[in-house]
Amino acid sequence: MRELPITTRITQAEGNRRLTLRYILLVEETVQELEKYGVKITEEENMTNATVLDLTMTPP
């Protein structure tokens, strides 16, 4: 799986705490040589992340 960094955003969370979020596009190649996409968002301050895989729509 490839990770393609998209952007980083800095904002403030509750309690006036700095929040830096890094957005990454995930690209996975299938056996049929197609690509499936997902996203990963990482909070830089504590290196926690959330990942959602297989967001790619397939034809009916």
Side-chain angles (χ1 to χ4, degrees):
M1 182 174 306
R2 293 179 291 158
E3 293 190 2
L4 305 171
I6 301 300
T7 191
T8 300
R9 295 286 183 244
I10 300 171
T11 188
Q12 288 184 344
E14 295 175 5
N16 208 24
R17 181 177 63 90
R18 176 185 166 131
L19 182 63
T20 306
L21 300 172
R22 183 172 37 149
Y23 295 84
I24 298 169
L25 179 66
L26 303 172
V27 183
E28 179 181 3
E29 193 169 309
T30 67
V31 176
Q32 299 87 6
E33 296 185 10
L34 301 172
E35 291 182 336
K36 296 191 312 185
Y37 299 97
V39 66
K40 178 166 81 171
I41 302 170
T42 302
E43 183 181 341
E44 293 287 322
E45 285 73 19
N46 61 16
M47 296 307 291
T48 58
N49 65 62
T51 302
V52 179
L53 301 174
D54 202 13
L55 294 173
T56 306
M57 300 295 290
T58 56

